[in-house]
Amino acid sequence: MKLKTLAKVGSVTLVTALGLAACGSSNSSSESGSTKTLNWQESANLPTLDPSKATDHVSAETLNNSNEGLLMVGSDNKLEPGVAKSYSVSKDGKTYTFNLRKSKWSDGSEVTAKDFVYGIQRTANPKTASQYSYLLDHVKNYEAISKNKMPVSSLGVKAEGNYKLVVTLSKPQSYFKYIVAMNPLFPQSEKAVKKYGSAYGTKSADQVYNGPYKVTGWTGTNDKWTLTRNKEYYNNSKTKVDKINFIVSKDAGTTLNQYQAGKLDVATLTGKQQVNNFKNSPELHKLPQASTFYLEMNQKKDPVLKNVNIRKAISLAIDRKSLTNDVLGDGSIPAKGFVPTKLASHDGKDFADAAEDSNETTNDVSYNLAEAKKYWAKGLKEVGKKSVSWTLLADDTPNGTKSTEAIQSNLTKLPGLKITNQNLPFKTRLANSQSGKFDLVVSAWIGDYPDPVTFMQLMESNNAYNNGHWSNAKYDELMTAAEGKDANNVNKRWNDMVSAEKVLMDDAGVVPLYQSVTPQVRKDKVKGLQYSNTGASYNFRDLYLK
Amino acid sequence: MVKYLSKRVFYLVLTLFIVTTITFFMMKLMPGTPLTNQEKLSPSEIHTIYQQYGLDKPVWQQYLNYLGGAVTGNFGTSFQFSDQPVSYLIFSRIGASLQLGIQAMIIGVLAGIVVGAIGAIKRNTWVDTTTTIISILGVSVPSFVLAVLLQNWFGLQLRWFPIAEWGGINYTVLPTLALAALPFAETARFMRTEMIDVLNSDYIELAKAKGLHQTGIIYHHALRNSLIPIITIVGPLAVNIMTGSMVVENIFSIPGIGEQFVKSILTNDYPTIMGLTIMYSFMLCVVLLLTDIVYGIIDPRIRITGKKD
């Protein structure tokens, strides 16, 4: 062995590495020449650019700006016209007619109503195995198609000429207008699907785009991709930022370092400490999510939980303010009810406010240990027990672990109650929730669209996600009315759901804990970012750099 | 040699087969589904989607299908990266991991040899104490702690190197150093012990008695003979780097394969779990085989024959 040679090679490698590094410290500037560029952090990889298959927030954010549906959701869930200039709904609420504008795909071909028919049919087709096709459950014949009992061509979505799309529903759905803004209902070019075959949407080059940006530089598995101005977009003259670089940065510490070093213009913070560092900074934006974290109580496993006083005691014993402010500290806010705030409003009133019990003493979502102990004693007497011991199941995420510790210390203040915590990885936790292997579980739900029903339907007696098996005839009746006879009457439907939420809270069917918030930091120059708490969250169409 | 090699290759294939089988059935015991929107799908919807992926079939049938595909080079498509072939996922992301791993091994082992040798030659002086302390630190400080410290000092504060991401060679310096710490420290410790042994042996005494120059003795006799046992620890160290890279890649936002392994397990991405398990087992087997072969070449006392393994 020639040791000298080896040693030389080694030292050469070292020196080269250091030498090259020293001269390679280039600074990425956000404005190179006249190109306006924004660097945007993502915490996860982009899984797909196939609108029928995308279910995660990264694909949704990318697709929402590279493609465009019939309508769009802007700031605060406000609906805006998309490819459809206008739309009308029939009196019975079952027929939606969309009038499309003339627009083009990034390859120069026309976007027509046929592309919408094709795209929506593709999502409904069981062969596509879309995990979001349930959004079409009100569309005529969807149920039969999903069970392979009818051909996909029978779906209630038809093109009348090139610029008119008619959607027929099986029953009225007042919030269908929000659903058409979501990526599973985006137009898709049949030509492109046929051309790219199984590669369709698996690389940025294997897709066509009809939105303000085209996706470039995505190899299908890499950690960086770019939204580049789409010159064929009908509103291209309004696009002010030429390039948006999506950069995957998963580690919280690294993300903050990159933001502080100016490599990222927009980033999401993680945890109490990071949020506290930006407490007084104008760069911090706490974006409320349409999500509720709540306790489900398994009545099937432990009949003690069937007792309403026991459930009320649990709810009243939990100090939500301390949980969100002291324990989580990431901007999360105490839940007012099951439906989160800022999800939906009617006549200027937020749903969560409308359904909230303003009377402090009867409000079951407030913190009142003395009252909790009374209910607890009463409940125990009714079920004939002196002590109970339960397992509290939750995710093994930092927030999941912190929550269980806080809830455990809250609940053990009830005499005779013993709580054992169990924190499991998400998929395992979910499987245990669904198969009923828990006494209490911290569940989370994120709304799909800005309508209370995206939450309310979960607690119906026969719903597959009602893991605690809470059942209430009054609640079911109100929800059946909201989805049935009152479905086409906005006022009645709203009141049905408000009453249903009150029933749910009065009966402590679930124990709402908190609503999560995305703590986002944004450099001052970033303006015009539209955020909505459901669907794709971010819309870059009004974005500009100061 | 040929007989020996063919025997080892046979064992390699057998090992891979056993690993594949055990992993496949254990993986199917994990609760949950590989679906990305599982929390919002009802059991009947899940069943419909399962039919499309053949996941509704009995496990043994899925296993046979998988084996059949794997033999012909079809490792299925990923769930996390929707419809992306697993082989493409691995090949497109393994480059960065390999580059970091190889750089870290070269730098770590070479630096370890030099520092260990110096420690042995100057044993019981302050030089020796210093190198010992450095190598103890290298072994005991986990790579991810070192990674965060390096990132903070040389990335954020001094701005000598990029904080994270993947670009030119300057992007590899900090992660390489973080990964090189362990092989460096292990090699240095091992080298020092071996070298002290050798320096005390009779033939070194003889060389000294013959009046050979000190540097000559160290270069020609001591160093070479101390290196032989180092080969044995290189294999396990390479394996350590593979697992260490999972965390380090995450911290430096490296588009590597390490983190995908963890994520595929957490998301029940069956085809990716299988593909990566096979790949890691294969790499491990090859590293061990190479170690054995190199060992035989360097040290003639170790015989490679087909008879005794």
Side-chain angles (χ1 to χ4, degrees):
Chain A
M1 178 194 274
K2 293 278 180 288
L3 191 75
K4 276 180 196 165
T5 337
L6 240 180
K8 261 186 211 162
V9 171
S11 52
V12 167
T13 322
L14 243 174
V15 170
T16 333
L18 293 170
L20 281 175
C23 49
S25 60
S26 66
N27 234 326
S28 91
S29 133
S30 57
E31 277 179 52
S32 51
S34 60
T35 322
K36 300 242 183 201
T37 308
L38 179 81
N39 293 317
W40 178 276
Q41 179 244 344
E42 279 297 354
S43 55
N45 284 92
L46 177 64
T48 181
L49 282 173
D50 181 339
S52 291
K53 294 197 173 172
T55 55
D56 65 299
H57 73 101
V58 182
S59 332
E61 281 162 30
T62 308
L63 281 168
N64 193 42
N65 295 294
S66 67
N67 289 67
E68 188 164 303
L70 294 161
L71 303 173
M72 286 189 288
V73 176
S75 286
D76 297 323
N77 293 325
K78 208 179 91 210
L79 267 183
E80 287 167 12
V83 176
K85 286 181 291 189
S86 62
Y87 74 99
S88 59
V89 191
S90 67
K91 258 196 171 160
D92 65 358
K94 289 209 252 183
T95 310
Y96 279 70
T97 310
F98 297 92
N99 301 304
L100 314 192
R101 68 178 86 233
K102 283 200 165 180
S103 62
K104 282 182 177 171
W105 289 104
S106 52
D107 65 359
S109 56
E110 293 273 321
V111 176
T112 66
K114 287 190 191 79
D115 296 325
F116 281 94
V117 174
Y118 180 74
I120 298 172
Q121 283 184 352
R122 193 168 169 270
T123 299
N125 194 334
K127 283 212 179 77
T128 311
S130 163
Q131 295 181 40
Y132 234 148
S133 59
Y134 65 81
L135 287 173
L136 300 170
D137 62 356
H138 280 57
V139 178
K140 195 177 151 199
N141 295 336
Y142 167 75
E143 294 296 338
I145 293 166
S146 72
K147 293 188 176 86
N148 274 317
K149 283 177 188 153
M150 272 174 106
V152 76
S153 56
S154 61
L155 192 70
V157 181
K158 300 280 180 270
E160 284 182 12
N162 276 345
Y163 298 102
K164 190 185 265 185
L165 184 79
V166 181
V167 181
T168 320
L169 304 180
S170 53
K171 52 186 175 180
Q173 185 181 29
S174 55
Y175 51 96
F176 185 68
K177 57 190 184 219
Y178 295 114
I179 290 180
V180 298
M182 300 178 71
N183 54 267
L185 284 85
F186 278 2
Q188 294 184 49
S189 155
E190 188 170 1
K191 201 174 79 187
V193 175
K194 296 259 151 76
K195 181 174 160 195
Y196 300 119
S198 64
Y200 173 75
T202 62
K203 287 181 205 67
S204 53
D206 295 340
Q207 181 58 288
V208 288
Y209 309 95
N210 77 322
Y213 295 97
K214 292 186 287 189
V215 184
T216 52
W218 185 57
T219 64
T221 57
N222 59 346
D223 288 3
K224 230 175 175 178
W225 60 95
T226 304
L227 288 178
T228 315
R229 176 190 287 277
N230 175 9
K231 294 198 172 109
E232 300 286 352
Y233 183 56
Y234 63 88
N235 230 351
N236 179 38
S237 59
K238 290 244 174 97
T239 308
K240 293 195 187 76
V241 180
D242 303 289
K243 273 185 169 184
I244 298 158
N245 294 320
F246 280 69
I247 299 160
V248 178
S249 177
K250 293 169 185 167
D251 183 82
T254 304
T255 305
L256 183 58
N257 288 346
Q258 290 276 67
Y259 178 78
Q260 282 172 334
K263 301 280 179 190
L264 294 169
D265 298 315
V266 181
T268 302
L269 300 180
T270 311
K272 189 174 171 178
Q273 200 192 341
Q274 286 198 352
V275 174
N276 274 345
N277 286 346
F278 282 88
K279 208 160 70 187
N280 300 315
S281 165
E283 293 177 15
L284 176 65
H285 301 264
K286 292 180 179 174
L287 309 173
Q289 297 173 355
S291 71
T292 303
F293 285 73
Y294 58 102
L295 272 186
E296 291 189 271
M297 297 156 282
N298 195 347
Q299 303 193 9
K300 242 188 192 165
K301 186 156 176 270
D302 190 348
V304 171
L305 289 166
K306 282 187 176 161
N307 185 288
V308 62
N309 291 318
I310 294 279
R311 296 201 303 268
K312 279 188 180 221
I314 293 174
S315 185
L316 286 165
I318 294 173
D319 187 351
R320 293 166 181 82
K321 263 192 200 130
S322 155
L323 174 67
T324 52
N325 294 347
D326 310 332
V327 181
L328 302 175
D330 59 357
S332 301
I333 44 182
K336 285 180 181 172
F338 187 47
V339 175
T341 51
K342 294 198 172 169
L343 174 77
S345 60
H346 178 60
D347 281 345
K349 186 137 197 188
D350 190 274
F351 185 90
D353 293 328
E356 193 187 15
D357 188 347
S358 51
N359 186 340
E360 276 278 325
T361 51
T362 55
N363 185 330
D364 290 326
V365 199
S366 59
Y367 173 56
N368 190 336
L369 190 58
E371 201 67 16
K373 282 182 175 164
K374 276 187 212 160
Y375 277 116
W376 182 251
K378 199 174 161 201
L380 278 187
K381 210 173 167 192
E382 281 166 6
V383 297
K385 286 210 173 186
K386 286 225 166 69
S387 65
V388 232
S389 102
W390 287 323
T391 339
L392 172 61
L393 175 65
D395 290 332
D396 66 351
T397 55
N399 270 3
T401 322
K402 284 188 206 165
S403 303
T404 43
E405 282 163 9
I407 296 167
Q408 183 190 38
S409 85
N410 277 167
L411 290 185
T412 39
K413 286 186 182 138
L414 297 173
L417 177 56
K418 193 172 166 266
I419 299 277
T420 316
N421 289 347
Q422 189 182 31
N423 294 90
L424 296 175
F426 176 68
K427 291 264 178 180
T428 314
R429 197 274 292 162
L430 204 57
N432 282 7
S433 295
Q434 286 166 349
S435 59
K437 283 186 201 142
F438 68 94
D439 296 307
L440 308 176
V441 62
V442 180
S443 297
W445 189 262
I446 300 175
D448 282 326
Y449 37 80
D451 189 275
V453 78
T454 186
F455 281 86
M456 302 294 289
Q457 63 190 5
L458 300 185
M459 299 326 295
E460 289 173 33
S461 299
N462 54 0
N463 194 291
Y465 315 98
N466 184 349
N467 298 316
H469 303 284
W470 173 78
S471 173
N472 183 298
K474 182 76 187 153
Y475 185 89
D476 289 346
E477 188 192 313
L478 286 164
M479 287 311 294
T480 311
E483 288 291 80
K485 71 176 168 64
D486 297 339
N488 202 24
N489 183 325
V490 183
N491 281 326
K492 276 192 180 166
R493 181 170 176 272
W494 179 266
N495 291 335
D496 286 339
M497 287 195 291
V498 168
S499 311
E501 164 93 37
K502 283 182 177 163
V503 171
L504 178 63
M505 290 301 104
D506 276 346
D507 203 42
V510 287
V511 173
L513 299 170
Y514 65 93
Q515 180 174 0
S516 57
V517 162
T518 306
Q520 185 183 64
V521 279
R522 238 183 263 163
K523 298 283 182 202
D524 280 340
K525 64 175 181 189
V526 183
K527 302 284 178 199
L529 176 66
Q530 297 187 63
Y531 171 78
S532 59
N533 59 9
T534 57
S537 298
Y538 302 105
N539 184 336
F540 296 148
R541 283 163 181 80
D542 290 347
L543 195 68
Y544 65 97
L545 301 176
K546 204 172 67 180
Chain B
M1 187 72 179
V2 175
K3 204 173 169 192
Y4 172 77
L5 267 184
S6 48
K7 193 174 163 188
R8 287 299 297 259
V9 169
F10 169 75
Y11 278 130
L12 190 148
V13 174
L14 185 70
T15 312
L16 286 184
F17 172 75
I18 294 171
V19 168
T20 310
T21 311
I22 294 176
T23 312
F24 192 92
F25 287 99
M26 278 177 56
M27 173 181 86
K28 290 289 171 181
L29 290 176
M30 296 195 305
T33 75
L35 304 180
T36 50
N37 210 20
Q38 185 196 340
E39 66 269 35
K40 297 209 166 168
L41 294 170
S42 68
S44 71
E45 282 163 338
I46 289 176
H47 183 74
T48 317
I49 296 168
Y50 265 28
Q51 283 174 334
Q52 297 303 323
Y53 292 107
L55 291 171
D56 56 329
K57 299 200 176 83
V59 176
W60 61 268
Q61 209 171 327
Q62 291 179 38
Y63 171 70
L64 290 183
N65 286 346
Y66 183 80
L67 270 193
V71 168
T72 57
N74 175 8
F75 293 93
T77 55
S78 165
F79 281 92
Q80 304 168 60
F81 290 88
S82 173
D83 291 340
Q84 216 67 256
V86 170
S87 45
Y88 175 73
L89 171 64
I90 294 177
F91 282 121
S92 62
R93 290 185 73 102
I94 201 173
S97 301
L98 276 183
Q99 189 186 341
L100 282 187
I102 291 169
Q103 282 181 201
M105 277 305 283
I106 292 175
I107 291 172
V109 171
L110 286 183
I113 289 172
V114 173
V115 169
I118 293 173
I121 295 162
K122 309 261 178 194
R123 69 176 174 280
N124 300 330
T125 66
W126 65 271
V127 181
D128 185 23
T129 319
T130 317
T131 54
T132 309
I133 290 174
I134 293 176
S135 54
I136 289 173
L137 277 177
V139 176
S140 46
V141 176
S143 57
F144 59 90
V145 173
L146 188 63
V148 170
L149 291 177
L150 288 172
Q151 184 184 64
N152 248 299
W153 293 334
F154 300 110
L156 188 66
Q157 313 281 339
L158 296 170
R159 308 235 166 158
W160 289 1
F161 301 105
I163 293 167
E165 287 185 63
W166 192 243
I169 186 120
N170 53 327
Y171 286 85
T172 69
V173 176
L174 297 182
T176 302
L177 291 181
L179 282 175
L182 186 74
F184 160 74
E186 287 281 9
T187 315
R189 268 185 349 149
F190 217 79
M191 187 66 193
R192 180 181 172 276
T193 324
E194 280 304 319
M195 188 95 167
I196 289 174
D197 254 17
V198 172
L199 285 176
N200 287 335
S201 61
D202 293 346
Y203 60 88
I204 297 290
E205 292 294 321
L206 177 69
K208 275 188 195 162
K210 272 164 62 183
L212 281 180
H213 193 261
Q214 167 86 5
T215 6
I217 296 174
I218 288 168
Y219 263 126
H220 293 292
H221 302 288
L223 208 50
R224 182 177 167 163
N225 284 320
S226 316
L227 277 177
I228 297 170
I230 296 288
I231 308 288
T232 44
I233 60 165
V234 166
L237 281 177
V239 175
N240 252 317
I241 283 212
M242 287 183 209
T243 45
S245 71
M246 294 176 192
V247 189
V248 173
E249 280 177 13
N250 210 11
I251 291 172
F252 289 103
S253 306
I254 308 287
I257 202 73
E259 196 243 348
Q260 296 306 318
F261 196 26
V262 183
K263 201 171 166 222
S264 67
I265 295 169
L266 287 175
T267 57
N268 289 8
D269 187 351
Y270 301 139
T272 309
I273 297 176
M274 291 309 299
L276 286 173
T277 307
I278 293 174
M279 184 206 76
Y280 275 119
S281 323
F282 179 74
M283 277 170 47
L284 179 58
C285 290
V286 169
V287 165
L288 294 179
L289 177 60
L290 286 179
T291 318
D292 286 356
I293 292 172
V294 171
Y295 209 85
I297 293 170
I298 287 183
D299 189 346
R301 283 172 300 180
I302 295 160
R303 287 276 167 82
I304 293 176
T305 55
K307 287 174 204 153
K308 238 176 114 189
D309 193 25

